[in-house]
Amino acid sequence: MGLKKTVKLSALVSAVEKNLIDIGECIDMHQFCAFWGAYDVFSYFDDLVLLVHGTAGCTANRHFLTSMGQMDNCDKKIHHTTDMKENDIIFGGEQKFMDSLEEVMKKNPDKNVVVLTNCCTDIIGDDVEGCIESLPDEDRKRVIFMNTGGYSGKTYRDGTENAFRLLAEKLYSFGRSKDREQKGSVNLFTRRWLWDPTKKKEIDEIKRDLGLIGLKMNEVFDHGFNMESLEKMSEADVNVSLCPFYSRGFFDQLRTLGGIDYVDSSAPIGLEATMRWLEDIARKLSMDISYIYENEEISELFRMRYELRKKIGSGRKCVIWNQTGDRLLSLVKLASELGMEPVIVGIELSTMREKFHIFKKEVCEGGVEAAVYPSKYIDEIRELVNELDDPVIFCNDNFFSGKKVFKYRFAHNPVYGLNGARSIFTALNETLDTPMNNYSIFLEK
Amino acid sequence: MTEEKNCLDSIRKCGILGVSRIAAQIKDASVIVHGPKGCVLPAFEASLTNPLSISYTEMCRETTVFGGEDDIAYKIRKEYFTNNPRIIVLISSCASEIIGDDIKGIIHSLDLDIPIITVEGGSFINDHISGCNTAMERLVHELGAPRDENSEIVNIIPPVEKYSGWKDDGAYLVKLLGKFGISARVLFCGVDVDDIRKYPSAALNVIIDREYGSKLAEYMNEEYGIPYISCGYPIGLEATDMFISSVLRALGRESRETDEMRNMLLDEVRQSFRNGLGRVTTFRYLEEICDKKKIIVGNYDTSEAFLRFLVKEFDDNVETVIVKAPKTDDNIDLEDRLKEISSGTNVIFTDDRAEIIDHIRNNDYDVILGSDNEYLAAHGEKTFAYINVEYPWARKIDFMPDGFAGYEGLLRFIEAYYNKIADKFDF
């Protein structure tokens, strides 16, 4: 019954593109309004200080990662708000904004100030841009302004992309030349919201993998970034990203303004994707890296994958329940790479719509395919799983008694590059070899 | 008064969080945020610790210009037919408050058979604490049934989600009052709609944290004639004993027997403490702990309770207390009260997160009683012991009761305090 209800991923993507499905918004903790997106991007910079012209709640609410137990650097930073009250909403808050801006600039003489607005300011029509224009030249140059009221309907992605565009424009106001000599260097964008130990390992691994094809890292866009590093980004030959959703606005702008191309292949998760990722980077730089297939480490990984494929068996179903987006598609590709037939469950169509450029590239243009079982309800998904013949399940939680559940948490473990592939293969191998324990405290029946 | 400031890094989240926290205490409640996508986050945050069904009206530029009343009706109906809630709490945001949608008119026109309560969540009207207070008052206002004047029940109004132990504290205080023959209940703590209807049938309302419940208690006093008292948060021997005696006095039930019972309970907890220390107390690290540099960061009642216990009852000392509230002329007497408890303690009032972080970073404390925010501020190379006494508390998990109020809670606190410090330092 369950499998009869599946649709092809390509058909679903096509239907979303043609607006054939009535899609309601979802609550996705990663995808809030434009204010959040811009706030996230600017928070990466140690030499920028944020001033939000609006009510205090939006700024205080942004410190929510602590409530989830995460040690995010953005959460530790100090940000400011003009703390608008009812009176300011009625009579306007421009004077309050100017006083606050002056105070922030005075307290942070060595930093530039990013001014963001929230719904209140935008709706009542405070002329924030005009206020900034009225500043003396010296002060005005220190201010980056972005209008980010969430009511505008602009999404998190709009917020990030617009913030990156502003930064890219700033980059090229430094007067960098577009004509550069190729030096074999790469800028890297990390994925968002990672625990630092994992992120450091991932950056080190990407550096190592790039080193295998003779490239070196130029700058890494990461927490603790600054305007000097931003300026140095213009020296790279190509941009690569571990999060195509997050970095796209900046990449587009760097290509338009500075002629630095970017690699838009999906994240290097698994051996196949990592090799393709390295080849795509090399292709952008007109390099021939066919020799890396003779590399002993890579040969060993191919052997490891071959053994794993044998153990899994051909055509076994792989049920994938993960966050809709790049990671989901990476897991679909990983399942296919390992000879399995992917079945996606719990897909969130509003998130697909939000991240549509990724789905279009991978599914419509890249040929990634899977069956999609559209339910998000655990009982229905269990019913589907029970109907399948000994599937492998990629899911963070163990809802499936007696089944092979691969609980490899992608936020806690290195997943990218060659070492990431090795870790995933090893962990999956262990999952297949380990009998299910019905006394596991993590089992949810 | 502190230096006049034009801007701050506020510790106060918006009213949507406070209202959602109350809604999350009602079984089968749904929250609908009438606002844009970003405004759902506080409701999502409330659902981290308690299950809550959340949706929102997807407010956008068009809605802001032309009004979002149709979207409200659509979302309420959708929530009603999809999730079958027993109650819907509709929370307005800054944007919907400014444009002035006629939310009540829409609700009346829907004619559904469940209560739909509207509460203002916009940050320029409510923060996360006043939002909580407004929601409590509004729910009783809308749902409360006529008072049964013969009821002898005592309502304890809890500081919902103030810290991880608030529910256990409530349960313990009910049990404690039961020893004196008093029947009590904790409001807005895992209740259903019918429980809320019965709230006005009570003999007394007891506020145990000055930030939470005054609005509700005053409303119930005016509307139903229910008297109320406000006690300090019952952490420590004196505060717990004061809680009991205040309730007894308000009910007119003080007697020689209740005095004896109070003294017996105090003796019992002291005895348990001494037994726990063991026969040879010389080797306990009480003196060494006393030498450590400590800070308490919390709201006023939390700060006062722990300061009083540590300094007056545990022969300890505290270097600094930061009260998470703006310093105003109204707070001067509160500062004096803290100074009366411990004249050597540095007292700071601030609602600026930046000021708290700066202070902690610039002063090497050995022991921090506060929230995960203070933990993160101090986190670095220096060793320190951290005892969570405020939201957020996501760095720990608790399966067993973990409240610090009352006599049982006090022993739990001493265990946590002593063990965490002893584990961190090489005495």
Side-chain angles (χ1 to χ4, degrees), chain B residues 139-175:
Chain B
L139 281 156
V140 174
H141 182 272
E142 300 284 330
L143 300 173
R147 182 186 181 194
D148 172 1
E149 304 223 348
N150 295 320
S151 173
E152 294 185 343
I153 290 181
V154 170
N155 289 332
I156 297 172
I157 306 176
V160 177
E161 298 289 285
K162 179 175 94 157
Y163 86 119
S164 61
W166 74 275
K167 286 182 184 174
D168 296 324
D169 286 349
Y172 177 76
L173 295 177
V174 168
K175 198 168 89 176

Side-chain angles (χ1 to χ4, degrees), chain A residues 22-29 31-33 36 51 55-64 66-72 74-86 89 96 99-100 103-104 107 119-121 123-124 150-155 353-354 377, chain B residues 3-14 17 36-42 44-45 48 54-56 58-62 64 74-75 78 82-83 94-96 98-99 123-125 351-355 357-358 361 372-373 375-377 379 391-395:
Chain A
D22 181 21
I23 303 172
E25 288 289 350
C26 73
I27 312 290
D28 179 351
M29 58 166 269
Q31 316 297 338
F32 290 105
C33 64
W36 286 71
L51 171 63
T55 46
C58 287
T59 313
N61 291 345
R62 180 56 189 77
H63 297 296
F64 75 105
T66 314
S67 315
M68 297 170 71
Q70 206 175 59
M71 283 183 59
D72 184 276
C74 294
D75 262 11
K76 290 188 202 173
K77 284 186 181 164
I78 292 163
H79 302 302
H80 302 279
T81 166
T82 53
D83 190 19
M84 285 173 89
K85 302 289 187 203
E86 198 159 9
I89 302 292
K96 195 168 191 177
D99 293 343
S100 300
E103 188 178 298
V104 171
K107 279 186 184 167
C119 294
C120 297
T121 327
I123 296 173
I124 66 170
Y151 82 94
S152 61
K154 287 177 195 161
T155 62
R353 186 176 55 190
E354 174 84 1
Y377 296 103
Chain B
E3 178 194 351
E4 188 67 32
K5 286 189 294 192
N6 294 303
C7 56
L8 83 162
D9 186 355
S10 178
I11 54 168
R12 298 280 172 134
K13 300 191 176 194
C14 80
L17 174 64
K37 199 170 187 177
C39 297
V40 190
L41 185 275
F44 173 77
E45 186 172 336
L48 292 174
I54 310 161
S55 60
Y56 72 110
E58 303 174 32
M59 207 168 171
C60 60
R61 193 181 294 278
E62 188 185 336
T64 309
Y74 171 74
K75 282 289 175 179
K78 189 174 176 191
T82 308
N83 291 324
C94 290
S96 53
I98 294 173
I99 66 169
S123 179
F124 66 90
I125 300 172
D351 59 347
D352 191 345
R353 187 176 155 274
E355 200 176 328
I357 291 173
D358 276 348
R361 282 183 181 162
D372 288 357
N373 291 324
Y375 171 88
L376 283 180
H379 185 68
Y391 181 86
W393 60 77
R395 298 195 57 75

Side-chain angles (χ1 to χ4, degrees), chain B residues 273-292:
Chain B
F273 173 69
R274 283 196 299 274
N275 291 346
L277 287 182
R279 188 179 175 87
V280 186
T281 55
T282 313
F283 299 114
R284 298 297 178 190
Y285 303 121
L286 299 173
E287 299 293 330
E288 288 84 350
I289 286 175
C290 190
D291 289 340
K292 292 294 171 195

Side-chain angles (χ1 to χ4, degrees), chain A residues 194-237:
Chain A
L194 261 182
W195 282 258
D196 282 341
T198 317
K199 180 153 58 178
K200 186 174 180 320
K201 281 183 197 164
E202 284 179 358
I203 293 168
D204 289 346
E205 175 58 14
I206 296 299
K207 273 185 191 166
R208 193 183 74 87
D209 292 352
L210 290 173
L212 290 178
I213 59 169
L215 296 176
K216 63 176 191 292
M217 196 78 87
N218 181 50
E219 288 292 333
V220 179
F221 184 77
D222 189 14
H223 291 300
F225 209 63
N226 56 48
M227 295 303 275
E228 194 184 338
S229 306
L230 180 72
E231 194 180 345
K232 282 186 186 160
M233 282 193 127
S234 62
E235 293 167 9
D237 299 314

